[in-house]
Amino acid sequence: MDGQRPGPVVGPNGEGGPEPNRPNTATRGAAVRVLKRNMKRSGSKNCLNQKCCLGSREREWLREDPSRGCVYVYGTDQTSSVCDLHVVLCTVDTAASEILLSEGTESLYVQLNGDLVRRLDPHERPLHMIYKYLSDLGFRDTTRIQEEAAHSDLSCMFRFYNEKPSSLEQLDRILLSGVYSVRKGKTQLHKWAERMVVLCGTCLIVSSVKDCQTGKMHILPLVGGKIEEVKRRPHCLAFCSAEAQAPTYQVSFDSAAEYQRWLRQASKVVSQRLSTVDLSCQSLEEIPEHLFYCQDITNLNLRHNFLQQHSAAGVTSLCRFSQLKVLNLSQNKLGDFPLQLCEIATLTELNVSCNGLTHLPPQVAHMLSLQTLNLDGNSLMTLPEELGCLQQLSCLGLSFNDLSNIPPVFEKLCSVDKLCLAGNRVESLSLQAFSNMAHLKSIDLRMNHLTQVISTLEGIDNITQFDVRDNQLTALDLRCLGNLEQLHCERNQLKELTLCGFSLRAVYATSNRLTSVNVFLAPSQLLSLDLSRNCLSSVPDWVCDAKKLEALDLSWNLLTELPLWLIGCPKLRKLLLGHNQLKNLPCPTDCIPLESLDVQHNLLRHLPDFLFSVALNLRFLNASANALESLPSMCSGEENGTRLQVLYLTNNQLTDQYVPFLVIHVNLRILHMAYNQLETFPASKLNKLEHLEELNLSGNRLKSIPSTVSNLKHLHTFIAHSNCISVFPEIFHLPHIQLVDLSCNSLMEIPAPDTLPPALQELDLKGNNDLVLDHQLHDIFSHIPILKIDNKLLPNAEMTVPSIPWNHGLAEMSGQRNKLCVSTLAVSDFAEGVEALYGMFDGDKNEEVPRLLQCTMGDVLLEEVQQSNCDRTFMCHTFLVSHRKLGTAGQKLGSSALLCYIGHTAPEHSNNFSLTVANVGTCQAVLCRNGQPLVLSRMFSVEHCREDLLRIKEQKAIVTEDNKVNGVTCCTRMLGCTYLHPWVLPEPHITKLPLTVQDELLILGNKALWEYVPVAEAVQTIRHLPDPLSAAKRLCTLAQSYGCQDNVAALVVCLNIGEDTCTCEMHTLTLPSPSGLTSTAVTKESPDSVTPSSSSGIASEFSSEMSVSEVSSEVGSTASDEHAVAGIDGGLILRPERRCSLHPVPSASTFQRQPSCATFSSNQSENGLDSDDDLQAEGLNTSSRVEVEVDIHCSRQHSPEPSAQCTFQDLEDDCGGISVQILQQNTINHNPTSSQEKDDLPSSTSGPCLYRKKHSNGSVVPLEEILNLIEVASEAPKKKTGYFSAPSQLEPEDHFVVPPHLENEVRQQLNDLESGAEDRANALEEFDTAL
C-alpha cells in the first residue's frame, strides 16, 4: 500500500456499498470496488513479494463480515517487471459479471495451479470459488479462510486474469514465423511486398503485416509439395503445393541463418505427413482456425482443455476433419456426449474419459468404424443397447464409473475381449453371466465393492485373466474357469482360495488371510506363485506338481518347516521365505537351478552345509535377522569359487571364525555383515574379495580395518559405523569410492591425504567423540560435497548448558539412487523453551519440495502456535499454509510430510509435556511406550487408506494398475502437487497424547524404512541403545540389509520424561518464626565441566555423580508441615496450585520429604569466598548461615500471579526483617538482568525477575541493593538427574532471626497458616513447595 486511504466502497452501478460499521452481510452486487496496485514481481517465483495489498480501512471493512473478501485480478503482460494488479473487494455472492462491469473488461479468466486457464461464466462467483477451494483444502474457520484468501501468494494455486494469458504460438503450434519480402508467382510481373509468413503445421500462411490475424490470409498446403532454391535472389526459397493450380510463393530471407532454418524445417514438413497434432493442456475453448486447413490430420489430441460444445469452432466443428481417425477429448468437462462426433465416419478411436458423462446417446450406433471407445472416469450407470451395433469395437473402457452390474450389451459386442470395470460399484458377481459372453478373455474388477463371487457348475473356458484386487472378498472359488491363466486377488480378506490348475500360469494373492489354497488338476504350466503376507502354516502339497515353477514367494507367513521337494523344484530360480518361523532348511543332494534365495527373519542357526555345492547358480542370498552361528563351506570346486554376487548376513551371531568361509565367493559384489560379533577381519581374506563394490561391517566390535581394503579397486561404498575403530582405514586411495561412513567409532585422528578420491561424495565422521580435525584436514575435507562431523563445544565453567529431556540422532542413506530426496527437521529447543520440533519430508523422486518444507515449516508452526491454543488447529494450519507457501514449486511436485511437536500441556492436565503428531503421505512416527510400539500416524496411500480411496473414486480420479492417482503418485494426501486437486489433499491426520515416564523413544521414518523394518522390530532393536545416532544408523542399516534400495531415513528421539522435567509451579514464600526450622545437610560438590553430546549435536547437561537415592539419603533436614505463600503485604495467600503426576500433594498432617530438596549455604564457597564477589555484602554477618530447603523440579520459570507481585522495597517495608524469595530453576536460558537494566524496569515487575544474579558454582551472595536476600534455585548448576547442591558446613546452631517487634505478627501468620493448611487438605488443594 502507498498509504492512501480508499474512499467509500462503490458498487458497479454507482450506488454506495456497505458502511464500515454495518454488521450484516452485503447483498449481492453491492460490494464491488477495484483498487489498482502495481506490484513488483519476485524474480524466482513470479509471485508478489507483499502478502496483502490492502490498507487499514479495507481490512477493517473485511473484518466486519467473513463473507467479504478480495479477489486479485492480474493483467496479462508477463514480460513487464511491474505486475498490473487490481484488487477487487466483494462478497461471496458477487458474480463475475459484476466484477466485469467494475473492471471494464469483457471476460474474466481463472487459472488453476499455474496451468490451465478457462473463461468464467457470468453467473460464477469468484470469491465463493476461492473460499470453497480453501475449505476443500482443510480450512474450517471462516475468519481464517478470509485471511488466507487475502494472501497474494495464493495466486500460485488460484489466479484471475482480465484477459486470456495465452500466446498464439502455444495454441497453433507455429514452427516458424517472421516478416519477409514475398512474391506470389514466379514471373517478373509479380511484385515483392512485405508480408507476415508463418509455417504452421503443414501449411504456409501468408498475410498482411498489419492485419496478420484478422485480415485476408493465403494458406498454402505443403504436404506432398516441394521447396526450391531461387538462384536469382540470395537467401530466397520458393514454396510449391501439390494441389493443382496452387500458387507458388517466393520468400526472401534477411540472412543465411534464417534461410537455412526455414529450409530445414520446411523440408521436413514437405517430406513427412504430419498427421498427428497435439493440443493437449492448452486451455482451448475453440479449435484454432488454422488447423482446419490441414486436411491430412488423422490423430488429434485435445485432452485437458475447455472446449465448448455449442461454439462455432468448438466440438461441433470436429466433423470438418475428413481424415480424422483418432480423437482424444478427455478431461474437457463436456457433461454430455457430443452428438456431432457420431457423424465422423472415419473415426476408429475415441477417448471421452473424465468428462462427467451421465449417459451415452443411442446415436453412437452410427460410428460403425469405431474400434476403441474410452469412457473411463465418468458417471455412467447404464449403457444403451444400440452400442451393440458397433461390431468392430474391440476395446471398451468403463473403469471408474457408477455401474453396479455387468451391462448386458457386452453379449452383443463380440469383438470386445476385455471387460474393464475397475473402480465401479459392483457388489456381487455371478460367473454364470460370462457363459453368454464367450468372446471375453480378461476380466478387470479391481477396486469395486465385491463381497462375493458366485461360482457355477458349468465350465467357463473363455476367461484367461481374472483381476479382483482391492475388494472385500472372504472366499474365492474359480474352479469353473478351466482355462484361467492369471489371477490377481491381492489385498482382499480371503481365507480360502480354490482354483483350477489346468492352464494356470501366475497367481498373485498377497496381503490376505489365507489358511488354505486348493488347486484341482496339477498346475503343470504354473510359472509364478505369490502367497506372501498370509496365514499359511505349511506349503500347499499341490506346489510339488508345478514342475515349471520359476518364482515362489511364501514370505510373511507362519511356516515352520519346508519339504525337501520344494528346494529341489527343477525350474525354481527365485525362492522368498522371509518372515516365517523356519528353524532349518532342507538341502537336496542333486544340483538345483536356484538363483535367488531370501530366508531373512527366521530362526535359522545354520544354513545347509552343501548349499553352495548344490546351488551352483546361486547369485543372491539374504539370511539377515536370523541366529546364524556358522556359514556353509564348499567341498568341491573351491578353487573356482561360487557365482554368488550379493550376500546379506546382517543381524546374526557370526564370529571371526567363519570370515575365512567368505573367500569362496570370489565374485561377491555386495557384502553386508553388520551387527554380528566380529572383532577382526583377516587382511588376507579381505584381499581375495577383489570384486567387492559395497561393504557394510557396521555394529560389530572391530578395532581396525585391514590395510588390504585399499586393494578393493571396485569398492564404491564402505560403511563401518558403530564399531570400535580407532585407526582411519586406508580408503583414500580407492579410485571409485563414493560413500564412507565411519560414524560412532573411536577415531582420534585422521592422516591428511595428499589428494581425495575423485568420486568421493559423502564422508560421515559423526559420533567420534575424541576426533579433532585440524585446519589442514578441514581445508581438504571442505571439497567433499557431503561432510558430516560433530560440532565440538569447548568446556567452559561459565557456560550454562540447557537441560532438556530429549536428544536425537539422524541417519539418511540414499541407497542405490544418485540423490537423496528425503529431508529432516530437528529442533530440540524449539521456540526458545523446553519444547521440540521434529519432522521428515519425503519427495519420492524430487528433492526440491522436501528442502523447502525443511526450511519453512518450523517458522510456519511458530506463527500458528501464537495464533491458536488448540493443538489440532495450529498443526492443521501449519500444513495448509506450508502447502500454499510452496508456490510454483508445489504446482507439479509434492512431498510426504511428518511433524512431531513436543510442547507443554495445558495447566489442567497433570503431565508435563504433550506430543502432537501430524502427517500426510507415507512418513510415519512410532512411539515406544514401556517397550511397546504405538503408531501415531496414518499411511495415506491408495493401498493403505480405504477412506481416501473411496473419496478419490467419488471424485472420478483414475487409479492406474500400479495404484497411483492419475498415474502420478501413490499418496492420497501430500503437500504440493496442487495440479492433482481435489484428489490429493494437504489436510493432515493429527494425533495428540500426553508424554509419560514410560515413553522411551520416538522414531520418525520414511516409507522405505517401515516397509522393510517392522514397527515392533524397530522398537525392540534400539530401545536399549543409549546413543540416538547409533540407533538411527542401525535402523537404516537394517532396512538396507533387508532389501531396501531406495532412500531411507530414520530420526530417533530419546525421551527422558522423568522427575527432572517436572513443571510444578513455584511461588514466593515467607520464612517461619525463630521457633521454626533449622536444617542441616552434607552435600557433594557438583562438577562444573560440560560434556557436549556428539551424537545429536546438542550440548548435554551438566554431569552429576549423585543419583536420586544418593541425594535423598545424604540430604537431611527438618521442616514444618505448613505451606506459606508470600503476599503483597507480607501476609499469606492460600491458593491451589498445579502439581505434576510425579509429585502428588503431601498430606497436611504428615510431612513428606521430597527427594529433590537440597540445602544451600551462603557461608562460603569452594575457595572460601564467592566466585562472583570477593567482598562481603554490607550488613551481613559472615559467621551466620541461612539454609533454605526448596523443590527444584521446575524446568521452566513461571511468573508469579499478579496478586503476589511486589517490589523488594515493599517486602522490606511490610516485613521489617529478613524475607527470602525462592526462584524457579530455568533449564533453558538464563538471562540475568544487569544492574544498569534494573533501573529501567517498571516497579511492578516481580522481584525474582529483577534481581537474579549469575553464579558459576552455585553459592549464594546477597545483592548490594537488597540486604538479606538470598538467591538459591535459579543460580544452582544443573545436573542430569535434576538435583544440585551447594557446599556447606554443619552449623546446627544457626537459625533464622526475626526482629522482636515482628514476632507476634509472624506467630499469628503461622497459626493462620496451620488452620489454612488443614482446610486445604480437606479440600484436596495442591501446593508446590514444602518449607
Side-chain angles (χ1 to χ4, degrees):
M1 285 292 294
D2 52 7
Q4 299 180 357
R5 284 186 173 273
V9 180
V10 180
N13 298 323
E15 62 270 37
E19 295 294 331
N21 297 327
R22 186 171 297 177
N24 51 354
T25 61
T27 59
R28 184 170 180 175
V32 180
R33 175 178 170 83
V34 180
L35 307 173
K36 186 173 182 179
R37 300 288 184 263
N38 292 327
M39 307 296 297
K40 290 185 178 180
R41 295 182 183 276
S42 173
S44 59
K45 297 299 179 183
N46 199 27
C47 291
L48 298 179
N49 290 326
Q50 298 188 15
K51 293 183 179 179
C52 187
C53 307
L54 301 179
S56 59
R57 185 171 182 178
E58 290 125 353
R59 290 194 294 267
E60 181 182 355
W61 180 77
L62 293 178
R63 281 194 290 266
E64 293 177 359
D65 190 348
S67 65
R68 299 172 180 174
C70 61
V71 175
Y72 295 96
V73 180
Y74 293 80
T76 57
D77 188 3
Q78 303 294 325
T79 60
S80 176
S81 60
V82 178
C83 177
D84 183 14
L85 171 65
H86 293 182
V87 183
V88 180
L89 301 180
C90 57
T91 69
V92 292
D93 295 323
T94 303
S97 58
E98 303 172 36
I99 297 179
L100 292 177
L101 290 176
S102 61
E103 283 275 303
T105 58
E106 296 181 356
S107 300
L108 194 64
Y109 297 85
V110 61
Q111 184 181 35
L112 298 177
N113 311 309
D115 188 10
L116 299 181
V117 179
R118 73 173 180 90
R119 187 197 309 266
L120 288 179
D121 292 335
H123 63 275
E124 291 187 270
R125 297 171 291 169
L127 187 60
H128 179 267
M129 294 169 59
I130 297 177
Y131 282 12
K132 185 180 185 303
Y133 184 89
L134 294 173
S135 177
D136 292 340
L137 288 183
F139 289 104
R140 299 291 179 261
D141 182 64
T142 55
T143 304
R144 184 56 189 265
I145 291 177
Q146 184 186 61
E147 296 175 0
E148 288 296 317
H151 284 286
S152 59
D153 53 1
L154 185 67
S155 61
C156 293
M157 297 183 288
F158 218 100
R159 175 176 289 202
F160 294 95
Y161 289 97
N162 53 18
E163 294 182 13
K164 191 173 184 179
S166 299
S167 64
L168 182 64
E169 293 185 359
Q170 292 179 342
L171 298 182
D172 298 339
R173 295 296 194 269
I174 292 177
L175 303 178
L176 293 172
S177 63
V179 178
Y180 306 107
S181 297
V182 179
R183 184 172 70 176
K184 183 179 180 181
K186 299 180 180 180
T187 64
Q188 298 292 334
L189 299 177
H190 298 86
K191 297 181 180 180
W192 293 87
E194 279 195 352
R195 294 288 185 265
M196 169 67 72
V197 183
V198 177
L199 182 61
C200 174
T202 61
C203 299
L204 183 72
I205 303 174
V206 181
S207 62
S208 171
V209 177
K210 185 177 181 180
D211 301 321
C212 58
Q213 297 299 325
T214 60
K216 183 178 180 181
M217 294 182 294
H218 300 272
I219 300 174
L220 182 68
L222 296 179
V223 177
K226 59 181 179 179
I227 307 296
E228 296 178 345
E229 179 183 1
V230 180
K231 297 182 179 180
R232 296 181 181 181
R233 190 178 180 95
H235 315 315
C236 186
L237 289 176
F239 295 85
C240 304
S241 176
E243 298 180 1
Q245 299 181 353
T248 299
Y249 287 92
Q250 294 182 359
V251 181
S252 180
F253 300 97
D254 299 332
S255 63
E258 285 186 297
Y259 168 81
Q260 292 294 336
R261 185 165 59 251
W262 276 80
L263 178 60
R264 286 194 302 267
Q265 193 66 49
S267 299
K268 294 179 181 179
V269 174
V270 171
S271 60
Q272 300 179 8
R273 294 183 58 86
L274 298 181
S275 59
T276 301
V277 177
D278 186 2
L279 291 176
S280 60
C281 305
Q282 295 299 316
S283 304
L284 294 178
E285 296 180 2
E286 297 181 346
I287 300 172
E289 185 67 23
H290 300 151
L291 289 181
F292 295 111
Y293 297 97
C294 305
Q295 294 300 320
D296 59 327
I297 294 179
T298 59
N299 292 22
L300 182 57
N301 186 0
L302 296 172
R303 181 185 67 87
H304 212 175
N305 284 288
F306 302 103
L307 293 178
Q308 304 294 326
Q309 287 216 43
H310 306 292
S311 175
V315 180
T316 57
S317 62
L318 289 173
C319 57
R320 296 170 59 182
F321 294 100
S322 59
Q323 305 296 326
L324 194 59
K325 294 183 178 180
V326 179
L327 177 60
N328 189 345
L329 287 174
S330 61
Q331 301 181 35
N332 271 274
K333 298 183 179 180
L334 298 177
D336 296 319
F337 189 90
L339 297 179
Q340 291 78 8
L341 298 181
C342 302
E343 301 175 5
I344 307 178
T346 59
L347 206 59
T348 61
E349 181 177 336
L350 176 62
N351 188 345
V352 287
S353 60
C354 301
N355 276 291
L357 305 180
T358 56
H359 68 281
L360 204 60
Q363 287 84 348
V364 295
H366 300 161
M367 308 172 70
L368 299 178
S369 301
L370 201 61
Q371 300 177 9
T372 301
L373 178 59
N374 191 340
L375 297 169
D376 296 340
N378 286 289
S379 301
L380 299 174
M381 303 181 66
T382 59
L383 294 180
E385 291 294 332
E386 291 79 1
L387 191 63
C389 299
L390 305 182
Q391 293 302 310
Q392 296 189 30
L393 190 65
S394 59
C395 181
L396 178 59
L398 293 170
S399 298
F400 297 95
N401 278 275
D402 297 332
L403 299 170
S404 58
N405 50 42
I406 299 177
V409 71
F410 272 96
E411 298 180 5
K412 300 179 181 180
L413 298 174
C414 300
S415 298
V416 177
D417 59 352
K418 183 176 182 179
L419 177 66
C420 301
L421 288 178
N424 278 273
R425 302 177 181 273
V426 181
E427 298 181 357
S428 177
L429 175 65
S430 175
L431 297 179
Q432 182 67 36
F434 297 122
S435 60
N436 299 327
M437 305 177 187
H439 50 278
L440 290 179
K441 295 182 179 180
S442 178
I443 307 298
D444 184 2
L445 289 170
R446 58 188 179 89
M447 293 186 182
N448 274 270
H449 302 161
L450 282 175
T451 57
Q452 61 176 347
V453 175
I454 304 174
S455 183
T456 177
L457 299 178
E458 180 182 354
I460 302 175
D461 299 333
N462 54 293
I463 296 178
T464 59
Q465 298 182 5
F466 199 78
D467 191 345
V468 288
R469 282 176 284 180
D470 297 289
N471 280 283
Q472 304 174 30
L473 297 172
T474 57
L476 186 59
D477 187 352
L478 300 179
R479 281 177 291 183
C480 60
L481 304 182
N483 289 326
L484 184 64
E485 297 179 359
Q486 180 174 297
L487 171 65
H488 281 280
C489 57
E490 301 99 307
R491 293 177 296 277
N492 278 275
Q493 303 174 15
L494 294 176
K495 296 181 179 180
E496 296 181 1
L497 178 61
T498 306
L499 303 172
C500 176
F502 180 72
S503 301
L504 206 58
R505 293 180 178 271
V507 177
Y508 304 98
T510 184
S511 301
N512 281 285
R513 304 173 183 176
L514 291 173
T515 57
S516 64
V517 179
N518 302 314
V519 175
F520 296 92
L521 300 180
S524 58
Q525 305 296 323
L526 188 62
L527 300 176
S528 179
L529 177 61
D530 185 357
L531 298 175
S532 59
R533 297 185 181 274
N534 281 285
C535 303
L536 297 175
S537 58
S538 61
V539 181
D541 296 335
W542 53 265
V543 178
C544 65
D545 297 327
K547 303 299 182 182
K548 295 184 180 181
L549 187 63
E550 296 181 357
L552 176 60
D553 190 351
L554 293 172
S555 57
W556 295 92
N557 277 282
L558 305 175
L559 303 179
T560 57
E561 60 180 1
L562 293 179
L564 179 61
W565 52 261
L566 181 63
I567 301 292
C569 286
K571 299 290 184 178
L572 190 61
R573 301 181 183 276
K574 183 177 181 180
L575 180 59
L576 306 179
L577 299 170
H579 296 273
N580 280 283
Q581 302 174 14
L582 300 175
K583 295 183 178 180
N584 56 72
L585 294 178
C587 183
T589 56
D590 298 332
C591 293
I592 57 177
L594 200 62
E595 297 179 0
S596 178
L597 177 62
D598 190 341
V599 291
Q600 61 173 297
H601 287 89
N602 280 283
L603 305 175
L604 301 176
R605 304 181 69 89
H606 306 280
L607 293 175
D609 295 334
F610 305 104
L611 177 63
F612 299 115
S613 299
V614 297
L616 299 177
N617 295 324
L618 192 63
R619 289 175 171 82
F620 177 93
L621 174 60
N622 193 337
S624 301
N626 280 281
L628 291 179
E629 300 175 351
S630 64
L631 293 177
S633 60
M634 191 171 183
C635 298
S636 61
E638 186 174 354
E639 63 279 358
N640 297 326
T642 67
R643 298 183 181 180
L644 194 66
Q645 298 181 3
V646 180
L647 179 59
Y648 292 108
L649 297 172
T650 296
N651 203 8
N652 281 288
Q653 302 176 13
L654 298 173
T655 60
D656 306 345
Q657 177 183 357
Y658 293 96
V659 173
F661 288 78
L662 298 175
V663 298
I664 62 175
H665 310 299
V666 294
N667 297 307
L668 207 59
R669 295 187 299 106
I670 299 177
L671 174 61
H672 282 221
M673 294 190 69
Y675 298 100
N676 281 278
Q677 300 178 12
L678 303 181
E679 297 183 357
T680 59
F681 203 106
S684 59
K685 309 304 179 185
L686 184 60
N687 192 34
K688 293 184 179 181
L689 303 177
E690 56 184 10
H691 295 289
L692 270 182
E693 299 177 4
E694 181 176 329
L695 178 60
N696 194 328
L697 299 174
S698 305
N700 287 285
R701 296 193 289 266
L702 298 175
K703 297 182 180 180
S704 63
I705 300 298
S707 58
T708 53
V709 70
S710 60
N711 298 331
L712 305 178
K713 301 302 181 182
H714 301 283
L715 192 67
H716 60 72
T717 300
F718 178 70
I719 304 175
H721 63 78
S722 306
N723 278 284
C724 304
I725 300 174
S726 58
V727 180
F728 194 82
E730 300 179 9
I731 57 175
F732 286 142
H733 300 291
L734 297 175
H736 301 291
I737 192 68
Q738 299 178 10
L739 169 64
V740 178
D741 189 351
L742 291 170
S743 57
C744 301
N745 276 287
S746 302
L747 295 175
M748 301 182 63
E749 60 179 359
I750 300 177
D754 298 333
T755 59
L756 290 175
L760 185 59
Q761 297 293 319
E762 181 175 348
L763 176 61
D764 194 346
L765 300 174
K766 293 179 69 68
N768 291 278
N769 299 331
D770 300 326
L771 178 63
V772 178
L773 301 182
D774 54 22
H775 294 288
Q776 180 183 4
L777 279 177
H778 270 291
D779 294 339
I780 295 175
F781 289 165
S782 63
H783 299 285
I784 303 176
I786 302 177
L787 176 62
K788 299 179 181 179
I789 56 176
D790 291 325
N791 295 324
K792 301 292 184 180
L793 296 177
L794 298 178
N796 189 352
E798 297 181 356
M799 179 177 60
T800 61
V801 180
S803 174
I804 52 179
W806 46 72
N807 59 334
H808 69 272
L810 169 65
E812 299 172 325
M813 298 181 181
S814 60
Q816 296 188 3
R817 294 173 57 178
N818 56 0
K819 64 178 180 179
L820 183 66
C821 298
V822 181
S823 297
T824 53
L825 175 65
V827 185
S828 295
D829 53 351
F830 182 69
E832 298 182 356
V834 186
E835 295 181 351
L837 179 64
Y838 300 100
M840 183 166 292
F841 317 101
D842 188 353
D844 191 15
K845 295 181 181 180
N846 81 88
E847 56 185 346
E848 181 179 1
V849 172
R851 290 182 180 179
L852 288 175
L853 295 174
Q854 179 190 33
C855 298
T856 59
M857 286 201 77
D859 296 334
V860 175
L861 177 61
L862 194 58
E863 295 177 0
E864 295 297 333
V865 169
Q866 298 172 357
Q867 296 185 21
S868 175
N869 294 325
C870 178
D871 301 73
R872 295 183 178 274
T873 300
F874 68 68
M875 194 62 93
C876 180
H877 288 176
T878 298
F879 274 68
L880 301 181
V881 173
S882 300
H883 177 73
R884 168 174 56 82
K885 286 181 174 291
L886 288 176
T888 56
Q891 291 176 349
K892 302 298 181 182
L893 303 176
S895 173
S896 299
L898 169 66
L899 274 189
C900 299
Y901 170 65
I902 302 178
H904 290 282
T905 56
E908 61 268 14
H909 294 283
S910 61
N911 298 91
N912 302 323
F913 299 100
S914 64
L915 173 63
T916 306
V917 178
N919 82 295
V920 292
T922 56
C923 295
Q924 301 291 294
V926 176
L927 179 68
C928 173
R929 171 167 289 181
N930 200 19
Q932 300 299 320
L934 183 60
V935 180
L936 304 179
S937 50
R938 292 187 62 182
M939 182 77 75
F940 287 107
S941 65
V942 175
E943 296 182 1
H944 298 88
C945 187
R946 185 166 181 82
E947 297 176 5
D948 277 9
L949 176 60
L950 296 177
R951 174 181 59 82
I952 290 174
K953 288 173 58 179
E954 291 292 334
Q955 295 167 343
K956 301 306 175 184
I958 302 297
V959 181
T960 54
E961 291 191 6
D962 55 352
N963 283 334
K964 291 186 176 181
V965 181
N966 282 7
V968 177
T969 176
C970 65
C971 297
T972 58
R973 300 191 190 183
M974 64 191 310
L975 299 185
C977 281
T978 56
Y979 78 106
L980 292 177
H981 179 86
W983 308 304
V984 179
L985 299 177
E987 185 176 6
H989 169 265
I990 301 174
T991 302
K992 179 184 177 182
L993 74 165
L995 293 178
T996 66
V997 293
Q998 289 83 18
D999 296 326
E1000 306 171 19
L1001 294 170
L1002 178 64
I1003 308 174
L1004 284 72
N1006 67 332
K1007 176 184 177 182
L1009 177 68
W1010 302 118
E1011 184 177 352
Y1012 289 92
V1013 182
V1015 171
E1017 179 184 356
V1019 168
Q1020 295 301 324
T1021 299
I1022 67 172
R1023 61 175 301 216
H1024 297 299
L1025 296 180
D1027 185 11
L1029 175 61
S1030 61
K1033 288 281 185 180
R1034 181 162 188 168
L1035 290 179
C1036 291
T1037 298
L1038 292 181
Q1040 288 190 331
S1041 296
Y1042 296 164
C1044 178
Q1045 299 180 358
D1046 206 345
N1047 293 165
V1048 60
L1051 179 61
V1052 177
V1053 183
C1054 292
L1055 301 174
N1056 185 21
I1057 309 298
E1059 291 194 356
D1060 53 349
T1061 60
C1062 171
T1063 55
C1064 296
E1065 292 182 355
M1066 302 288 292
H1067 300 285
T1068 306
L1069 303 179
T1070 58
L1071 293 176
S1073 64
S1075 60
L1077 308 176
T1078 60
S1079 62
T1080 61
V1082 179
T1083 62
K1084 289 187 178 182
E1085 297 182 1
S1086 61
D1088 55 358
S1089 60
V1090 181
T1091 305
S1093 173
S1094 60
S1095 62
S1096 62
I1098 299 177
S1100 65
E1101 305 169 341
F1102 282 89
S1103 60
S1104 173
E1105 299 177 358
M1106 300 180 64
S1107 63
V1108 176
S1109 59
E1110 290 174 344
V1111 173
S1112 59
S1113 61
E1114 293 183 9
V1115 179
S1117 65
T1118 58
S1120 67
D1121 55 351
E1122 288 89 5
H1123 299 267
V1125 181
I1128 296 179
D1129 300 328
L1132 300 178
I1133 301 177
L1134 305 180
R1135 59 189 180 122
E1137 298 299 338
R1138 175 171 56 88
R1139 279 280 188 170
C1140 73
S1141 59
L1142 300 173
H1143 308 101
V1145 182
S1147 173
S1149 60
T1150 305
F1151 171 73
Q1152 295 183 358
R1153 170 74 184 189
Q1154 297 292 336
S1156 59
C1157 296
T1159 303
F1160 299 90
S1161 172
S1162 62
N1163 187 21
Q1164 64 180 8
S1165 61
E1166 297 175 0
N1167 56 0
L1169 291 174
D1170 292 315
S1171 59
D1172 290 355
D1173 298 281
D1174 294 336
L1175 298 178
Q1176 300 176 3
E1178 182 180 356
L1180 182 66
N1181 186 3
T1182 57
S1183 62
S1184 63
R1185 183 169 62 93
V1186 179
E1187 297 175 346
V1188 181
E1189 185 174 303
V1190 296
D1191 189 341
I1192 61 163
H1193 282 292
C1194 303
S1195 61
R1196 171 167 288 198
Q1197 183 168 343
H1198 300 271
S1199 300
E1201 295 293 330
S1203 60
Q1205 290 183 352
C1206 62
T1207 63
F1208 286 102
Q1209 186 66 34
D1210 295 334
L1211 289 175
E1212 279 192 316
D1213 295 340
D1214 294 336
C1215 297
I1218 300 177
S1219 65
V1220 177
Q1221 196 151 15
I1222 299 178
L1223 304 181
Q1224 294 175 309
Q1225 179 189 5
N1226 190 341
T1227 62
I1228 302 302
N1229 294 320
H1230 295 275
N1231 299 318
T1233 307
S1234 63
S1235 59
Q1236 297 178 356
E1237 296 172 342
K1238 294 182 210 175
D1239 298 334
D1240 299 332
L1241 294 175
S1243 59
S1244 61
T1245 308
S1246 62
C1249 298
L1250 279 172
Y1251 297 102
R1252 286 189 299 174
K1253 190 173 181 180
K1254 210 63 178 161
H1255 300 281
S1256 58
N1257 64 349
S1259 60
V1260 179
V1261 173
L1263 297 179
E1264 289 76 12
E1265 291 81 1
I1266 303 299
L1267 303 179
N1268 305 327
L1269 176 67
I1270 300 177
E1271 296 180 5
V1272 180
S1274 66
E1275 308 302 336
K1278 284 74 179 174
K1279 292 185 178 182
K1280 285 186 176 181
T1281 57
Y1283 304 99
F1284 60 88
S1285 61
S1288 62
Q1289 294 181 354
L1290 187 62
E1291 294 181 6
E1293 67 275 10
D1294 286 347
H1295 56 273
F1296 290 107
V1297 178
V1298 179
H1301 65 280
L1302 293 177
E1303 289 183 1
N1304 295 331
E1305 181 179 352
V1306 171
R1307 287 193 180 95
Q1308 182 63 33
Q1309 292 177 355
L1310 292 177
N1311 293 333
D1312 296 340
L1313 175 63
E1314 182 176 0
S1315 59
E1318 293 176 354
D1319 297 336
R1320 291 194 305 275
N1322 297 331
L1324 297 178
E1325 296 180 356
E1326 300 180 350
F1327 294 88
D1328 286 326
T1329 305
L1331 184 63

